[in-house]
Amino acid sequence: VCVLDVFFPESRIIHAHTPDSLKMPPHEDVERKRRERVTLLNDTHACHICHSSCRRRTGNAAMNDGKMRTCPCFGNWKYALRVCEHCIADDELTGRIRQCGFCGTVACDEDCVEMVECTDLEDWNQAGCLECRSMESFREMDLFRSFAPSVESKCTRVCVECLESVTPWKDFSFKCRRFHCHRRIVPSDIVEMKKTEKINVIALGCTS
């Protein structure tokens, strides 16, 4: 909880995003540098992560066609996020970019889009969220580090709207039990099972 929200509740109503809050992704230094250069990056229509509007793929002559994703508050808030598809692909297992593994929505911070973290433990035997476990990225979990490149990557986060749509009868998410945290997390195996079911339903719909 932001200190300003405790002593000045009206500040959250006036401005939902707090630039200097502790709600940054694990890579605080990268996020701080992004915010320092955000005006220049927006003026040049560049990606906020790689600082390029035409990034070359590693080991491939193909160029990025300029496809970008923006968070829902882009255009309405100074520090909103714009990121290219290649940076999102590079970040799939790291999880430094807040992205829903179902709909692909990106978020600039926790106030932009409510995301649920995927974890490797159940609610009765869980070690807390990524930040409370002092992990810099999801790669520090064996579950994500053992990912094979030939297999589709696992979701690191899911937005609340998508999670509720695939688990309408039961809420599989739970709150981090670390002191003063209460961030929502969900077992990765549940998310991957629901993602597979959704893909199969879409495939059946296309073939029928």
Side-chain angles (χ1 to χ4, degrees), residues 103-170:
C103 67
T105 297
V106 294
C108 55
D109 62 22
E110 291 184 350
D111 291 319
C112 181
V113 178
E114 187 178 359
M115 299 274 184
V116 182
E117 275 188 14
C118 296
T119 186
D120 54 350
L121 299 169
E122 300 287 350
D123 56 350
W124 52 268
N125 184 29
Q126 55 98 3
C129 66
L130 199 71
E131 185 176 349
C132 289
R133 292 167 74 173
S134 299
M135 292 182 176
E136 183 183 355
S137 73
F138 287 87
R139 280 187 182 273
E140 295 186 37
M141 296 185 198
D142 290 336
L143 177 71
F144 295 94
R145 187 166 55 241
S146 59
F147 162 73
S150 59
V151 182
E152 185 179 0
S153 61
K154 297 179 183 293
C155 298
T156 54
R157 292 182 182 88
V158 181
C159 70
V160 171
E161 184 176 349
C162 284
L163 183 62
E164 291 177 349
S165 69
V166 297
T167 58
W169 298 284
K170 181 178 179 180

Side-chain angles (χ1 to χ4, degrees), residues 6-207:
V6 176
F7 294 98
F8 305 100
E10 66 277 8
S11 65
R12 189 166 183 83
I13 300 174
I14 296 173
H15 201 276
H17 302 271
T18 308
D20 298 322
S21 70
L22 299 178
K23 299 170 183 176
M24 291 184 176
H27 62 309
E28 294 184 5
D29 290 337
V30 176
E31 177 65 6
R32 190 176 296 108
K33 291 177 181 178
R34 180 185 80 85
R35 294 189 176 194
E36 290 173 354
R37 302 188 59 182
V38 70
T39 302
L40 175 62
L41 294 171
N42 285 337
D43 290 342
T44 57
H45 305 286
C47 170
H48 289 184
I49 306 300
C50 65
H51 303 170
S52 174
S53 58
C54 190
R55 178 183 172 185
R56 182 178 295 276
R57 290 186 183 184
T58 304
N60 195 325
M63 299 295 287
N64 185 3
D65 57 5
K67 287 184 178 180
M68 301 277 182
R69 291 192 207 175
T70 57
C71 66
C73 59
F74 193 82
N76 298 318
W77 190 54
K78 180 180 179 181
Y79 298 105
L81 176 68
R82 178 174 59 223
V83 59
C84 70
E85 294 290 344
H86 288 319
C87 283
I88 291 174
D90 291 344
D91 184 71
E92 276 184 343
L93 293 179
T94 304
R96 289 173 173 171
I97 298 173
R98 288 188 175 92
Q99 178 199 193
C100 174
F102 278 68
C103 67
T105 297
V106 294
C108 55
D109 62 22
E110 291 184 350
D111 291 319
C112 181
V113 178
E114 187 178 359
M115 299 274 184
V116 182
E117 275 188 14
C118 296
T119 186
D120 54 350
L121 299 169
E122 300 287 350
D123 56 350
W124 52 268
N125 184 29
Q126 55 98 3
C129 66
L130 199 71
E131 185 176 349
C132 289
R133 292 167 74 173
S134 299
M135 292 182 176
E136 183 183 355
S137 73
F138 287 87
R139 280 187 182 273
E140 295 186 37
M141 296 185 198
D142 290 336
L143 177 71
F144 295 94
R145 187 166 55 241
S146 59
F147 162 73
S150 59
V151 182
E152 185 179 0
S153 61
K154 297 179 183 293
C155 298
T156 54
R157 292 182 182 88
V158 181
C159 70
V160 171
E161 184 176 349
C162 284
L163 183 62
E164 291 177 349
S165 69
V166 297
T167 58
W169 298 284
K170 181 178 179 180
D171 185 6
F172 290 96
S173 67
F174 51 94
K175 291 182 179 179
C176 174
R177 297 197 183 110
R178 294 302 175 94
F179 191 58
H180 287 324
C181 180
H182 303 298
R183 178 172 290 152
R184 289 181 67 183
I185 44 186
V186 63
S188 176
D189 57 348
I190 297 294
V191 173
E192 294 305 314
M193 178 182 67
K194 294 298 180 180
K195 183 174 70 173
T196 303
E197 290 177 357
K198 190 173 183 179
I199 292 172
N200 291 337
V201 169
I202 294 173
L204 288 173
C206 292
T207 56

